[in-house]
Amino acid sequence: MMNFYTNFNIPQIYGTVTGRASQTANSAVQQNTTPLINIGPSKDVFQRGTTPVQVQNAPQIQQIAPISNVWDNKRIQAIYDKTYETVMAQNPITRELNIEKPALNFNADKDEKESTIATYRGGYNDIIIQAGEFFAGDLYLCKMTDNSGELVNVQVFEQERADEYIKKHPEFKMTREKLTDSEKELFISSIVAHELRHCIQSHLVLSTEDCADKYKAKFADLKETIETLISMEKDLAALRGEAYVPSENDKDLEKLNYGLNYRPKKVFDKNTAFKYSIVPSDNRYWHIKDHFYTVSGSKKTEGSKESYYTDPLEIDAYNYEREFVVTESKKYPNGTLRKEIVDGLFLSASLNVFDDNVLFIRK
């Protein structure tokens, strides 16, 4: 994983969640007189109850892509395109952000074992998707329990990764449920929604007073690093007597112009607060400067797994991911999604939401 200023990742294999970590922020976060944004829809989009969602009452609409055994890049792109429209609609603040739709790029190295499924890169404004066999093959909702039967982890794996996980954790018992095409589609869409929430976060920071210039300075530092790498590659080619062939670094250098040259549609006050949940009754807000920029930036430099899961940006993205599962599952035709799978996807994201002790702004 790189730092806050470039990448936001979804780990493919999570560690066991054993507790909630505390979070601190400066005194400005506790103010009540702050500009509030992304207030959301006028009515509650969730059904209240003891379970996350009642799939049986889903509206009758078509799926994103037709039922098929082919899971190629074209199909993933179609899911992404539809998900992008939904995420932008669910987050009304995007109308005040100068967002260019992030490019969807597939990792070309099919043999590379990535630690992440998807990555949003802030300065480049693209989403890297793991290529190879992960989406192409069968996927399973895996639930891990300890010796006492207590649930310790829920995750979607392909067969090989599921086998690897249980070998590393023989103390756990795993149950596996193969995803149908519709369930697999919802899972992929929720991952993309997570990354698009990071896209919104990045654009908020780029549009906020006392944040944007400092954020861009990190992009400038990254540009210098990439230029140095390109120079070394050119020197090496010259030593070999070969013509220089542009690499991924050249492509990244060009993409980085997006962040370096970004111009906000609207400049937000440095005390602006961003709504945490799309549920109207939830009164919690993030402080863009103190949470998204200051606290998150310091945590990313720590580089530990704990800092990742207690990072405001990740808490926010995982929370949005689970809410997205709820809202989108209702749109599928009756009988196409199993309730236990939808609940499992919801729980999988929820296990990564460490928001108990966050000092939110409450309005």
Side-chain angles (χ1 to χ4, degrees):
M1 181 190 303
M2 295 179 68
N3 61 34
F4 159 77
Y5 304 101
T6 53
N7 287 9
F8 305 98
N9 303 315
I10 299 180
Q12 187 164 336
I13 300 179
Y14 304 141
T16 303
V17 177
T18 57
R20 299 293 189 180
S22 63
Q23 177 109 359
T24 60
N26 67 36
S27 59
V29 175
Q30 301 177 46
Q31 297 176 1
N32 290 322
T33 57
T34 57
L36 305 179
I37 59 175
N38 211 50
I39 295 175
S42 60
K43 62 180 180 179
D44 201 328
V45 294
F46 287 78
Q47 296 176 354
R48 299 298 181 184
T50 56
T51 56
V53 61
Q54 297 297 327
V55 182
Q56 294 86 345
N57 297 325
Q60 298 295 311
I61 69 168
Q62 294 299 313
Q63 294 173 232
I64 296 172
I67 296 297
S68 170
N69 290 325
V70 178
W71 290 89
D72 55 12
N73 292 355
K74 183 177 180 180
R75 187 169 186 180
I76 305 304
Q77 182 71 50
I79 294 174
Y80 169 64
D81 292 341
K82 182 63 176 179
T83 304
Y84 178 82
E85 295 176 5
T86 301
V87 172
M88 294 302 107
Q90 285 186 341
N91 291 272
I93 190 57
T94 56
R95 294 191 290 268
E96 299 184 63
L97 298 172
N98 189 21
I99 293 181
E100 181 179 309
K101 183 178 179 181
L104 195 65
N105 296 321
F106 294 89
N107 182 354
D109 189 352
K110 296 184 177 181
D111 295 325
E112 185 178 354
K113 285 190 176 297
E114 291 287 341
S115 61
T116 59
I117 300 173
T119 303
Y120 174 71
R121 303 195 302 171
Y124 309 99
N125 194 44
D126 64 2
I127 297 175
I128 306 299
I129 297 290
Q130 177 180 328
E133 301 302 317
F134 186 82
F135 289 133
D138 293 334
L139 295 179
Y140 299 83
L141 180 71
C142 301
K143 296 181 179 180
M144 280 64 76
T145 55
D146 60 19
N147 291 331
S148 64
E150 182 178 352
L151 187 69
V152 294
N153 202 354
V154 181
Q155 186 54 35
V156 174
F157 292 134
E158 73 240 270
Q159 186 72 42
E160 182 182 357
R161 291 296 176 92
D163 292 341
E164 290 176 356
Y165 183 95
I166 208 63
K167 286 180 181 179
K168 291 180 180 179
H169 300 280
E171 71 276 17
F172 296 153
K173 178 182 178 181
M174 175 186 289
T175 60
R176 313 179 191 190
E177 194 69 41
K178 180 180 173 181
L179 302 185
T180 65
D181 275 9
S182 297
E183 293 160 352
K184 187 174 177 179
E185 181 183 276
L186 176 62
F187 167 66
I188 295 172
S189 188
S190 69
I191 288 175
V192 173
H194 178 118
E195 297 307 324
L196 287 172
R197 185 74 168 193
H198 283 315
C199 171
I200 295 170
Q201 296 165 350
S202 179
H203 283 80
L204 283 170
V205 174
L206 280 169
S207 302
T208 300
E209 289 179 337
D210 206 25
C211 298
D213 290 343
K214 297 174 184 177
Y215 195 11
K216 285 187 176 183
K218 299 298 180 181
F219 298 155
D221 291 342
L222 180 58
K223 179 183 179 182
E224 290 184 8
T225 300
I226 297 174
E227 287 174 337
T228 300
L229 291 174
I230 292 174
S231 179
M232 293 172 62
E233 290 172 349
K234 288 180 177 179
D235 290 343
L236 183 59
L239 287 173
R240 293 174 174 173
E242 302 171 349
Y244 173 69
V245 178
S247 66
E248 288 297 318
N249 286 324
D250 294 272
K251 295 178 182 178
D252 282 347
L253 187 61
E254 182 177 353
K255 293 176 184 176
L256 195 55
N257 285 324
Y258 182 90
L260 289 168
N261 300 323
Y262 178 81
R263 294 294 181 269
K265 181 182 294 186
K266 175 181 178 179
V267 177
F268 298 104
D269 183 275
K270 64 182 179 181
N271 291 318
T272 299
F274 174 69
K275 194 171 188 302
Y276 175 48
S277 172
I278 63 175
V279 179
S281 58
D282 193 319
N283 68 346
R284 293 173 293 176
Y285 286 78
W286 295 110
H287 191 279
I288 296 175
K289 178 178 180 291
D290 294 331
H291 279 133
F292 282 180
Y293 182 77
T294 304
V295 175
S296 181
S298 65
K299 282 187 171 294
K300 287 293 180 180
T301 58
E302 294 172 14
S304 67
K305 182 176 291 186
E306 181 181 356
S307 69
Y308 174 88
Y309 290 114
T310 58
D311 188 314
L313 297 175
E314 293 303 336
I315 293 172
D316 181 71
Y318 277 114
N319 181 67
Y320 180 66
E321 178 184 342
R322 66 178 178 179
E323 293 183 342
F324 183 90
V325 168
V326 173
T327 59
E328 290 308 292
S329 65
K330 297 177 182 180
K331 298 179 181 179
Y332 282 74
N334 289 339
T336 57
L337 299 175
R338 288 168 291 177
K339 183 177 181 299
E340 61 269 23
I341 298 298
V342 175
D343 289 352
L345 295 177
F346 178 92
L347 181 57
S348 178
S350 297
L351 289 173
N352 300 290
V353 179
F354 292 81
D355 63 1
D356 289 358
N357 297 310
V358 174
L359 296 180
F360 288 104
I361 294 172
R362 295 182 181 269
K363 188 68 174 181

